[in-house]
Amino acid sequence: MTPPLPLFTGLSAFPLTPADVDGHVDTDALQRLVQRIVGSGARSIGLLGSTGTYMYLSRAERRRATEAAIEAVGGRLPVIVGVGALRTDEAVAHACDAAAAGADALLLAPVSYTPLTQEEAFQHYQAVAGATDLPLCIYNNPSTTHFSFSQDLVGRLAALPTIQAVKMPLPGNGDFSGEIARLRRIVSPDFAIGYSGDWGAAEALLAGADAFYSVAGGLFPRAMAALTSAAMAGDESRAARLDTMFSPLWDLFKAYGSLRVMYTAANLMGLSSALPPRPLLPLGSEINAKVEAAIAPLREA
C-alpha cells in the first residue's frame, strides 16, 4: 500500500483497460500504460473508470486488471479503483476485490437501468462505503449514468466516514467557482472536490478544484500533469498555453467520444493493439489521421 498522501488531489490519470472485443484484459499492455504514469507528476491512477471500460468487464477480468495494475505500480502511486455495478451486492463484491488486491481507494458511480431515486443512491453508496475501510470517491457522471446528485445527497454522502471526495462533471453554465463554493458549504474542510471532462481542466483547477480526473492523463500523463500543476499554481498563461496544445484532442473527444479516441491513440502510439469492447466500434481510418495529428505534439511533451 502507498503511504498516506492527499489521495484525491492533483492529477488522477485514467488509463484504458486494453482488452479484446470479448472483454479479456491484456494485462501486459495495461501494465505498460500504468508504468508510464508513474513518475509523470500525476498524483494517482484512476483504474477501471469509464475510459477503463469497467462496465464492459466481468468481475474476474476486473480483478485481473486490478491485480496487474497494482503489481506494476508497486506502491509508487495511489491506485483508485472503479467499483460501479448495477446491483449493490455486485458493487460491494468489486469493492472487496479491490481492497484485497491492495487498492488505495475506490471510485463509485451510481450505475442504473431503472432510474435511481436519491434515497436508493444513498443506500447503495452507504453499503459499498461500509464494505471496506478504503476511502471512496463519489463518481458523478450523469451523461453516462443518467443520474444527477442533488446537493442534499452529496452532503449526506460526505458525512459517511469513508466517503472523502467527489468527481464532478463540468457545470453546464461554466460556473466552477460558484459550484465549488456551494459544495464547500455542505462538506467538511478536508472533503476533496474534483472534476472530469478534460477540456475543462484548466478552468476547474484555476477556480479552486482540488483534483482533476483525466482521460488524456492516461496516455499523456506528463503533459496533463504540467497543465494541472500550472492551473493549481494559478499560472493562467502557462495553463492556457498547455490547454491550447491539447485543443485538437479535446475537439476529437467532443466529436467522437474520448473512449474511442483514446483506443485509437494508444494503438497509433504502439502501446496497445486493443479494440473497444463490442458493440463499440473503432474509429475509421479517416479519423485515425486526425487523431495522429492531434497527439503529435503531446508525444513530445
Side-chain angles (χ1 to χ4, degrees):
M1 295 286 287
T2 305
L5 290 170
L7 261 173
F8 303 110
T9 59
L11 173 66
S12 188
F14 278 62
L16 299 168
T17 307
D20 64 21
V21 293
D22 296 319
H24 302 298
V25 175
D26 181 345
T27 54
D28 290 340
L30 175 60
Q31 289 187 326
R32 287 195 295 272
L33 291 177
V34 298
Q35 286 169 343
R36 294 176 77 251
I37 298 170
V38 174
S40 66
R43 294 296 298 271
S44 66
I45 294 171
L47 189 71
L48 297 176
S50 297
T51 305
T53 57
Y54 68 103
M55 282 303 295
Y56 294 91
L57 300 174
S58 68
R59 179 181 177 185
E61 291 300 312
R62 290 205 215 181
R63 187 164 54 237
R64 286 185 64 235
T66 302
E67 291 169 351
I70 289 172
E71 177 186 50
V73 172
R76 293 171 291 171
L77 269 185
V79 178
I80 304 168
V81 178
V83 296
L86 277 170
R87 289 203 333 238
T88 300
D89 64 308
E90 292 177 335
V92 166
H94 291 311
C96 292
D97 288 347
D104 296 278
L106 306 175
L107 176 69
L108 178 62
V111 180
S112 64
Y113 182 80
T114 299
L116 300 178
T117 67
Q118 300 288 299
E119 182 59 29
E120 287 166 343
F122 175 79
Q123 292 195 25
H124 179 68
Y125 272 82
Q126 186 178 46
V128 179
T132 78
D133 61 357
L134 293 179
L136 186 146
C137 178
I138 301 164
Y139 189 0
N140 184 1
N141 187 12
S143 65
T144 298
T145 64
H146 309 293
F147 178 84
S148 296
F149 287 81
S150 68
Q151 187 166 299
D152 177 67
L153 178 57
V154 173
R156 290 179 70 196
L157 291 172
L160 297 176
T162 58
I163 296 184
Q164 299 180 10
V166 64
K167 177 181 184 285
M168 295 290 291
L170 305 179
N173 63 0
D175 183 15
F176 289 96
S177 297
E179 182 170 80
I180 291 169
R182 289 190 295 274
L183 288 169
R184 297 273 187 227
R185 288 195 289 269
I186 62 169
V187 299
S188 65
D190 57 350
F191 187 87
I193 299 169
Y195 284 86
S196 61
D198 283 42
W199 51 91
E203 193 173 358
L205 294 163
L206 285 164
D210 298 303
F212 202 85
Y213 301 89
S214 171
V215 172
L219 280 185
F220 310 105
R222 292 187 184 279
M224 201 64 201
L227 189 159
T228 301
S229 177
M232 293 188 77
D235 188 340
E236 294 187 32
S237 60
R238 177 166 167 74
R241 287 196 302 274
L242 291 164
D243 187 66
T244 298
M245 184 173 68
F246 275 102
S247 288
L249 187 64
W250 302 160
D251 291 341
L252 291 171
F253 280 6
K254 294 173 187 177
Y256 304 107
S258 59
L259 177 61
R260 296 180 185 90
V261 172
M262 293 306 274
Y263 266 93
T264 298
N267 292 347
L268 289 171
M269 294 168 69
L271 297 171
S272 167
S273 59
L275 296 172
R278 296 298 299 268
L280 301 181
L281 296 174
L283 298 175
S285 57
E286 70 282 2
I287 307 304
N288 290 1
K290 295 181 181 179
V291 176
E292 181 69 74
I295 67 176
L298 304 174
R299 290 189 189 210
E300 302 172 358

Coordinates of all heavy atoms in Angstrom, one line a residue, residues 176-235:
F176 N -17.7 27.3 -12.3 CA -16.9 26.4 -11.4 C -16.8 27.0 -10.0 O -17.1 26.4 -9.0 CB -15.5 26.2 -11.9 CG -15.4 25.3 -13.2 CD1 -15.4 25.9 -14.4 CD2 -15.4 24.0 -13.0 CE1 -15.3 25.1 -15.6 CE2 -15.3 23.2 -14.2 CZ -15.3 23.7 -15.4
S177 N -16.5 28.3 -9.9 CA -16.3 28.9 -8.6 C -17.6 28.9 -7.8 O -17.5 28.6 -6.6 CB -15.9 30.4 -8.8 OG -14.6 30.5 -9.5
G178 N -18.7 29.2 -8.4 CA -20.0 29.1 -7.7 C -20.3 27.7 -7.2 O -20.8 27.5 -6.1
E179 N -20.1 26.8 -8.1 CA -20.4 25.4 -7.7 C -19.5 24.9 -6.6 O -20.0 24.3 -5.7 CB -20.3 24.5 -8.9 CG -20.7 23.0 -8.7 CD -20.8 22.2 -9.9 OE1 -19.7 21.8 -10.4 OE2 -22.0 22.0 -10.4
I180 N -18.3 25.2 -6.7 CA -17.3 24.8 -5.7 C -17.7 25.4 -4.4 O -17.7 24.8 -3.3 CB -15.9 25.1 -6.1 CG1 -15.4 24.2 -7.3 CG2 -14.9 24.9 -4.9 CD1 -14.1 24.6 -7.9
A181 N -18.0 26.7 -4.4 CA -18.4 27.4 -3.1 C -19.7 26.7 -2.5 O -19.7 26.6 -1.3 CB -18.7 28.8 -3.4
R182 N -20.6 26.4 -3.3 CA -21.8 25.7 -2.8 C -21.5 24.4 -2.2 O -22.0 24.0 -1.1 CB -22.9 25.6 -3.9 CG -23.5 26.9 -4.4 CD -24.7 26.7 -5.3 NE -24.3 26.1 -6.6 CZ -23.9 26.8 -7.6 NH1 -23.8 28.2 -7.5 NH2 -23.6 26.2 -8.7
L183 N -20.7 23.6 -2.9 CA -20.3 22.3 -2.3 C -19.5 22.5 -1.0 O -19.7 21.7 -0.1 CB -19.5 21.5 -3.4 CG -20.3 21.0 -4.6 CD1 -19.3 20.5 -5.6 CD2 -21.2 19.9 -4.1
R184 N -18.6 23.5 -1.0 CA -17.8 23.7 0.2 C -18.7 23.9 1.4 O -18.3 23.5 2.6 CB -16.8 24.8 0.0 CG -15.8 24.7 -1.1 CD -14.5 24.0 -0.6 NE -13.5 24.0 -1.6 CZ -12.8 23.0 -2.0 NH1 -13.0 21.8 -1.4 NH2 -11.9 23.1 -2.9
R185 N -19.8 24.5 1.2 CA -20.7 24.8 2.4 C -21.3 23.6 3.0 O -21.8 23.7 4.1 CB -21.7 25.8 1.9 CG -21.2 27.3 1.7 CD -22.3 28.3 1.6 NE -23.1 28.2 0.4 CZ -22.8 28.8 -0.7 NH1 -21.8 29.6 -0.8 NH2 -23.6 28.7 -1.8
I186 N -21.4 22.5 2.2 CA -22.1 21.3 2.7 C -21.2 20.1 3.1 O -21.7 19.1 3.5 CB -23.2 20.9 1.8 CG1 -22.6 20.5 0.4 CG2 -24.2 22.0 1.6 CD1 -23.6 19.8 -0.5
V187 N -19.9 20.3 2.9 CA -19.0 19.2 3.2 C -17.9 19.7 4.1 O -17.7 20.9 4.4 CB -18.3 18.7 1.9 CG1 -19.3 18.1 0.9 CG2 -17.4 19.7 1.2
S188 N -17.2 18.7 4.7 CA -16.1 19.1 5.7 C -14.9 19.7 4.9 O -14.8 19.5 3.7 CB -15.7 17.8 6.4 OG -15.0 16.9 5.5
P189 N -14.1 20.4 5.7 CA -13.0 21.1 5.0 C -12.0 20.2 4.3 O -11.3 20.6 3.3 CB -12.3 21.8 6.2 CG -13.3 22.0 7.2 CD -14.2 20.8 7.1
D190 N -11.9 18.9 4.7 CA -11.0 18.0 4.1 C -11.6 17.2 3.0 O -10.9 16.3 2.4 CB -10.3 17.1 5.1 CG -11.3 16.3 5.9 OD1 -12.5 16.6 5.9 OD2 -10.8 15.5 6.7
F191 N -12.8 17.4 2.7 CA -13.5 16.7 1.6 C -13.0 17.3 0.3 O -13.1 18.5 0.1 CB -15.0 16.8 1.7 CG -15.8 16.0 0.8 CD1 -16.2 14.7 1.1 CD2 -16.3 16.5 -0.4 CE1 -16.9 13.9 0.2 CE2 -17.0 15.8 -1.3 CZ -17.3 14.5 -1.0
A192 N -12.6 16.4 -0.7 CA -12.0 16.9 -1.9 C -13.0 17.0 -3.0 O -13.8 16.1 -3.3 CB -10.9 15.9 -2.3
I193 N -13.0 18.1 -3.7 CA -13.9 18.4 -4.8 C -13.0 18.4 -6.1 O -12.1 19.2 -6.3 CB -14.6 19.7 -4.7 CG1 -15.4 19.7 -3.4 CG2 -15.4 20.0 -5.9 CD1 -16.0 21.1 -3.0
G194 N -13.3 17.4 -7.0 CA -12.6 17.3 -8.3 C -13.6 17.3 -9.4 O -14.8 17.2 -9.3
Y195 N -13.0 17.4 -10.6 CA -13.8 17.4 -11.9 C -13.2 16.5 -12.9 O -12.1 16.1 -12.8 CB -13.9 18.8 -12.4 CG -14.8 19.8 -11.7 CD1 -14.3 20.5 -10.6 CD2 -16.1 19.9 -12.1 CE1 -15.2 21.3 -9.9 CE2 -17.0 20.8 -11.4 CZ -16.5 21.4 -10.3 OH -17.4 22.3 -9.6
S196 N -14.1 16.2 -13.9 CA -13.6 15.4 -15.1 C -14.3 16.1 -16.3 O -15.2 16.9 -16.2 CB -14.0 14.0 -15.0 OG -15.4 13.8 -14.9
G197 N -13.8 15.7 -17.5 CA -14.2 16.4 -18.7 C -13.0 17.3 -19.1 O -12.9 18.5 -18.8
D198 N -12.1 16.6 -19.8 CA -10.7 17.2 -19.9 C -10.6 18.6 -20.4 O -9.7 19.3 -20.0 CB -9.8 16.2 -20.8 CG -9.4 15.0 -20.1 OD1 -10.2 14.4 -19.4 OD2 -8.2 14.6 -20.2
W199 N -11.5 19.0 -21.3 CA -11.4 20.3 -21.9 C -11.7 21.4 -20.8 O -11.4 22.6 -21.1 CB -12.2 20.5 -23.1 CG -13.7 20.0 -22.9 CD1 -14.7 20.8 -22.5 CD2 -14.2 18.7 -23.1 NE1 -15.9 20.0 -22.4 CE2 -15.5 18.8 -22.8 CE3 -13.6 17.5 -23.5 CZ2 -16.4 17.6 -22.9 CZ3 -14.4 16.4 -23.6 CH2 -15.8 16.5 -23.3
G200 N -12.2 21.0 -19.7 CA -12.4 21.9 -18.6 C -11.4 21.9 -17.5 O -11.6 22.6 -16.5
A201 N -10.3 21.2 -17.7 CA -9.3 21.0 -16.6 C -8.8 22.3 -16.1 O -8.7 22.6 -14.9 CB -8.2 20.1 -17.1
A202 N -8.3 23.1 -17.0 CA -7.6 24.4 -16.6 C -8.6 25.3 -15.9 O -8.3 25.8 -14.8 CB -7.1 25.1 -17.9
E203 N -9.8 25.4 -16.4 CA -10.8 26.3 -15.8 C -11.2 25.8 -14.4 O -11.3 26.6 -13.4 CB -12.0 26.5 -16.7 CG -12.9 27.6 -16.3 CD -14.0 27.8 -17.3 OE1 -14.1 27.1 -18.3 OE2 -14.9 28.7 -17.0
A204 N -11.4 24.5 -14.3 CA -11.8 23.9 -13.0 C -10.7 24.1 -11.9 O -11.0 24.5 -10.8 CB -12.1 22.4 -13.1
L205 N -9.5 23.9 -12.3 CA -8.4 23.9 -11.3 C -8.0 25.4 -11.0 O -7.7 25.7 -9.8 CB -7.2 23.2 -11.8 CG -7.3 21.7 -12.0 CD1 -6.3 21.1 -12.9 CD2 -7.3 21.0 -10.6
L206 N -8.1 26.3 -11.9 CA -7.9 27.7 -11.7 C -9.0 28.3 -10.7 O -8.7 29.2 -10.0 CB -7.9 28.5 -13.0 CG -6.6 28.4 -13.8 CD1 -6.9 28.9 -15.2 CD2 -5.5 29.1 -13.2
A207 N -10.2 27.6 -10.8 CA -11.3 28.1 -9.9 C -11.2 27.5 -8.5 O -12.0 27.9 -7.7 CB -12.6 27.7 -10.5
G208 N -10.3 26.6 -8.3 CA -10.1 26.1 -6.9 C -10.4 24.7 -6.7 O -10.5 24.2 -5.5
A209 N -10.6 23.9 -7.7 CA -10.9 22.4 -7.6 C -9.6 21.8 -7.0 O -8.5 22.2 -7.2 CB -11.2 21.8 -8.9
D210 N -9.9 20.7 -6.2 CA -8.8 20.0 -5.5 C -8.1 19.1 -6.5 O -6.9 18.7 -6.3 CB -9.3 19.2 -4.3 CG -9.9 20.1 -3.3 OD1 -9.1 21.0 -2.8 OD2 -11.0 19.9 -2.9
A211 N -8.8 18.5 -7.5 CA -8.3 17.4 -8.3 C -8.9 17.5 -9.7 O -10.0 18.1 -9.9 CB -8.6 16.1 -7.7
F212 N -8.2 16.9 -10.6 CA -8.8 16.7 -11.9 C -8.6 15.2 -12.3 O -7.5 14.7 -12.2 CB -8.2 17.6 -13.0 CG -9.2 17.7 -14.1 CD1 -10.2 18.7 -14.1 CD2 -9.1 16.9 -15.2 CE1 -11.1 18.8 -15.1 CE2 -10.0 17.0 -16.2 CZ -11.0 17.9 -16.2
Y213 N -9.7 14.6 -12.8 CA -9.7 13.2 -13.2 C -9.7 13.1 -14.7 O -10.7 13.4 -15.3 CB -10.9 12.5 -12.6 CG -11.0 12.6 -11.1 CD1 -11.6 13.7 -10.4 CD2 -10.4 11.6 -10.3 CE1 -11.6 13.8 -9.0 CE2 -10.4 11.7 -8.9 CZ -11.0 12.8 -8.3 OH -11.0 12.9 -6.9
S214 N -8.5 12.7 -15.3 CA -8.3 13.0 -16.7 C -8.2 11.7 -17.5 O -7.4 10.8 -17.2 CB -7.0 13.8 -16.8 OG -6.6 13.9 -18.2
V215 N -8.9 11.7 -18.6 CA -8.8 10.7 -19.7 C -7.5 10.8 -20.4 O -6.7 9.9 -20.5 CB -10.0 10.8 -20.7 CG1 -9.7 9.9 -21.8 CG2 -11.3 10.5 -20.0
A216 N -7.1 12.1 -20.8 CA -5.9 12.3 -21.5 C -4.7 11.9 -20.7 O -3.6 11.5 -21.2 CB -5.8 13.7 -22.0
G217 N -4.8 12.1 -19.4 CA -3.7 11.8 -18.5 C -3.3 10.3 -18.5 O -2.2 10.0 -18.2
G218 N -4.2 9.4 -19.0 CA -3.9 8.0 -19.1 C -2.9 7.7 -20.1 O -2.2 6.7 -20.0
L219 N -2.8 8.6 -21.2 CA -1.8 8.3 -22.2 C -0.8 9.4 -22.3 O 0.4 9.2 -22.8 CB -2.5 8.3 -23.6 CG -3.2 7.0 -24.0 CD1 -3.8 7.1 -25.4 CD2 -2.3 5.8 -23.9
F220 N -1.1 10.6 -21.8 CA -0.2 11.8 -21.9 C 0.0 12.3 -20.5 O -0.4 13.5 -20.2 CB -0.7 12.8 -22.9 CG -1.1 12.2 -24.2 CD1 -2.4 12.1 -24.6 CD2 -0.1 11.8 -25.1 CE1 -2.8 11.5 -25.8 CE2 -0.5 11.3 -26.3 CZ -1.8 11.1 -26.7
P221 N 0.5 11.5 -19.6 CA 0.5 12.0 -18.2 C 1.4 13.2 -17.9 O 1.0 14.0 -17.1 CB 0.9 10.7 -17.4 CG 1.7 9.9 -18.4 CD 1.0 10.2 -19.7
R222 N 2.5 13.3 -18.6 CA 3.4 14.4 -18.3 C 2.8 15.7 -18.7 O 2.9 16.7 -18.0 CB 4.8 14.1 -18.9 CG 5.5 13.0 -18.3 CD 7.0 12.9 -18.9 NE 7.6 11.7 -18.3 CZ 8.2 11.6 -17.1 NH1 8.2 12.7 -16.4 NH2 8.7 10.5 -16.7
A223 N 2.3 15.7 -19.9 CA 1.7 17.0 -20.4 C 0.5 17.4 -19.6 O 0.3 18.5 -19.3 CB 1.3 16.8 -21.9
M224 N -0.3 16.4 -19.2 CA -1.5 16.7 -18.4 C -1.1 17.1 -17.0 O -1.8 17.9 -16.4 CB -2.5 15.5 -18.4 CG -3.9 15.8 -18.1 SD -4.7 16.9 -19.3 CE -6.0 17.6 -18.4
A225 N -0.1 16.5 -16.5 CA 0.4 16.9 -15.1 C 0.9 18.3 -15.2 O 0.7 19.1 -14.2 CB 1.5 15.9 -14.6
A226 N 1.6 18.7 -16.2 CA 2.1 20.1 -16.4 C 0.9 21.0 -16.4 O 1.0 22.1 -15.7 CB 2.9 20.2 -17.6
L227 N -0.1 20.7 -17.2 CA -1.3 21.6 -17.2 C -1.9 21.7 -15.8 O -2.3 22.8 -15.4 CB -2.3 21.0 -18.2 CG -3.5 21.9 -18.6 CD1 -4.1 21.5 -19.9 CD2 -4.6 21.9 -17.5
T228 N -2.1 20.6 -15.2 CA -2.7 20.6 -13.8 C -1.9 21.4 -12.8 O -2.4 22.2 -12.1 CB -2.8 19.1 -13.3 OG1 -3.6 18.4 -14.2 CG2 -3.4 19.1 -11.9
S229 N -0.6 21.2 -12.9 CA 0.3 21.9 -12.0 C 0.2 23.4 -12.2 O 0.2 24.2 -11.2 CB 1.8 21.4 -12.1 OG 2.6 22.2 -11.3
A230 N 0.2 23.8 -13.5 CA 0.2 25.3 -13.8 C -1.1 25.9 -13.3 O -1.2 26.9 -12.7 CB 0.3 25.5 -15.3
A231 N -2.2 25.2 -13.5 CA -3.5 25.7 -13.1 C -3.7 25.8 -11.6 O -4.2 26.7 -11.1 CB -4.7 24.9 -13.7
M232 N -3.2 24.7 -10.9 CA -3.3 24.7 -9.5 C -2.4 25.8 -8.8 O -2.7 26.3 -7.7 CB -3.0 23.3 -8.9 CG -4.0 22.3 -9.3 SD -3.7 20.7 -8.5 CE -4.4 21.1 -6.8
A233 N -1.4 26.2 -9.5 CA -0.5 27.3 -9.1 C -1.0 28.6 -9.4 O -0.4 29.6 -9.1 CB 0.9 27.1 -9.6
G234 N -2.1 28.7 -10.2 CA -2.7 30.0 -10.6 C -2.0 30.6 -11.7 O -2.2 31.8 -12.0
D235 N -1.2 29.8 -12.5 CA -0.5 30.4 -13.6 C -1.4 30.3 -14.9 O -1.3 29.3 -15.6 CB 0.8 29.6 -13.8 CG 1.8 30.2 -14.9 OD1 1.3 31.0 -15.7 OD2 3.0 29.8 -14.9

